[in-house]
Amino acid sequence: DIVMTQTPLSLSVTPGQPASISCKSSQSLLHSDGKTYLYWYLQKPGQSPQLLIYEVSNRFSGVPDRFSGSGSRTDFTLRINRVEAEDLGVYYCAQSIQLPLTFGGGTKVEIK
Amino acid sequence: EVQLVESGGVVVQPGGSLRLSCAASGFTFDDYTMHWVRQVPGKGLEWVSLISWSGATTHYADSVKGRFIISRDNSKNSLYLQMNSLRTEDTALYYCAKDAYSSSWSWFDPWGQGTLVTVSS
């Protein structure tokens, strides 16, 4: 199985400040079709997860442009340009290049 | 509006069986792969199973293989998860989720609100 490792486990951020979450996979997520199958989800308190980023760096419909994703092969980063109060929750990275589909352990973002 | 509504979660004894349902609306159900993902309250996400648009392809996490069966009824826009030989470690909130693809798998969007399964004596 591909192990997804996120750091840090938690993050406390002042509104207006940037935040960054790292995700490392145990195997390359780069497929022979040229796509990299890495995603980011946010689970807000009391809600179901929602897709933020697909294929490393593509913001999903309706996702604010303060969210950005980068990385390649096994090392990936989610950045929030200027954190807002509504960004609190748990962020998960995930992969779909190989079954079973796997998620990172999550990074809890709190707002100071 | 795309919507997924799960149901069927209850308290069941170890060794028991349960069938979860997910009613889909707002999109062409038989165009997409569908998934079940679970989450122990307060913990992380675990993918459970997927089924292709036609039902011809299914896959399972090792933790449920041989005990759970995923199925779908495209005429009813519904997804199911038959859960047999339940264990205490199957206790979780079970989400259904729509994939972006029809015969393969990628990202999940949207997710339902989840249905809680509790396995306890």
Side-chain angles (χ1 to χ4, degrees):
Chain A
D1 297 4
I2 294 179
V3 177
M4 307 294 286
T5 303
Q6 286 181 237
T7 55
L9 289 179
S10 65
L11 203 51
S12 185
V13 188
T14 301
Q17 293 301 303
S20 179
I21 300 170
S22 171
C23 175
K24 295 185 189 297
S25 58
S26 60
Q27 298 176 36
S28 175
L29 304 185
L30 174 61
H31 194 274
S32 56
D33 65 9
K35 295 181 181 179
T36 302
Y37 291 94
L38 184 280
Y39 315 99
W40 290 97
Y41 296 90
L42 166 59
Q43 186 172 30
K44 296 182 178 182
Q47 296 186 18
S48 306
Q50 59 189 84
L51 178 69
L52 293 177
I53 302 284
Y54 64 95
E55 293 169 7
V56 180
S57 59
N58 298 285
R59 271 190 305 276
F60 191 60
S61 174
V63 174
D65 61 6
R66 63 179 180 274
F67 290 94
S68 65
S70 63
S72 63
R73 298 186 179 270
T74 61
D75 287 352
F76 305 95
T77 301
L78 176 71
R79 290 185 175 86
I80 310 174
N81 194 11
R82 293 175 303 277
V83 171
E84 297 188 6
E86 66 180 25
D87 299 336
L88 87 162
V90 181
Y91 290 77
Y92 296 95
C93 60
Q95 66 80 23
S96 71
I97 196 171
Q98 181 186 108
L99 294 175
L101 307 180
T102 51
F103 295 88
T107 296
K108 185 174 185 178
V109 171
E110 298 176 325
I111 307 299
K112 287 182 182 176
Chain B
E1 180 194 2
V2 176
Q3 196 169 15
L4 299 170
V5 179
E6 302 93 335
S7 60
V10 292
V11 178
V12 61
Q13 291 189 337
S17 296
L18 193 57
R19 189 174 89 151
L20 305 183
S21 300
C22 172
S25 59
F27 66 101
T28 305
F29 183 67
D30 58 9
D31 273 353
Y32 297 96
T33 293
M34 296 294 294
H35 301 264
W36 288 99
V37 179
R38 67 185 181 183
Q39 183 174 37
V40 175
K43 302 296 184 183
L45 300 166
E46 180 188 16
W47 172 79
V48 173
S49 182
L50 71 83
I51 186 166
S52 63
W53 70 275
S54 65
T57 300
T58 59
H59 291 285
Y60 300 90
D62 283 348
S63 57
V64 307
K65 199 173 293 183
R67 300 188 298 122
F68 290 10
I69 301 171
I70 191 171
S71 63
R72 63 192 297 162
D73 185 337
N74 289 339
S75 69
K76 295 183 178 179
N77 289 347
S78 293
L79 175 72
Y80 305 102
L81 187 66
Q82 177 67 40
M83 308 167 70
N84 301 321
S85 303
L86 281 161
R87 305 167 179 168
T88 54
E89 55 264 37
D90 295 318
T91 294
L93 187 64
Y94 284 75
Y95 296 103
C96 73
K98 170 185 162 293
D99 200 285
Y101 292 169
S102 60
S103 298
S104 183
W105 43 89
S106 60
W107 64 85
F108 312 125
D109 178 77
W111 303 54
Q113 86 290 346
T115 188
L116 184 61
V117 173
T118 303
V119 184
S120 173
S121 55

